[in-house]
Amino acid sequence: MSAAEAAAALGVPLDYVSGSPGNELLAAARPNPVYFARDARLFLQFRGGRLSGWKGDWGRNWMWQ
């Protein structure tokens, strides 16, 4: 899956975070389905122009407040 296909599947634009062209880390802002007070970001790792992995970012750890 390419970055354009991933953006279309998620329905949001992808923001550049780091990396060289074709080997980039991009982030998609998505509404957080669990904690409605904040948004979650989904980080997508691309290698060779193809999606190779992803990781969700839930923000600050709310359990240790």
Side-chain angles (χ1 to χ4, degrees):
M1 177 178 284
S2 69
E5 292 169 336
L10 293 170
V12 295
L14 301 178
D15 298 321
Y16 173 82
V17 176
S18 66
S20 61
N23 297 316
E24 302 162 318
L25 179 63
L26 303 174
R30 301 284 295 170
N32 190 328
V34 178
Y35 305 106
F36 295 104
R38 62 182 182 218
D39 289 337
R41 290 184 298 173
L42 180 65
F43 291 97
L44 304 168
Q45 174 70 51
F46 291 88
R47 291 194 175 116
R50 309 303 279 168
L51 181 63
S52 64
W54 63 89
K55 178 184 180 205
D57 175 23
W58 298 99
R60 223 176 74 207
N61 190 343
W62 57 272
M63 292 182 69
W64 309 115
Q65 291 182 6

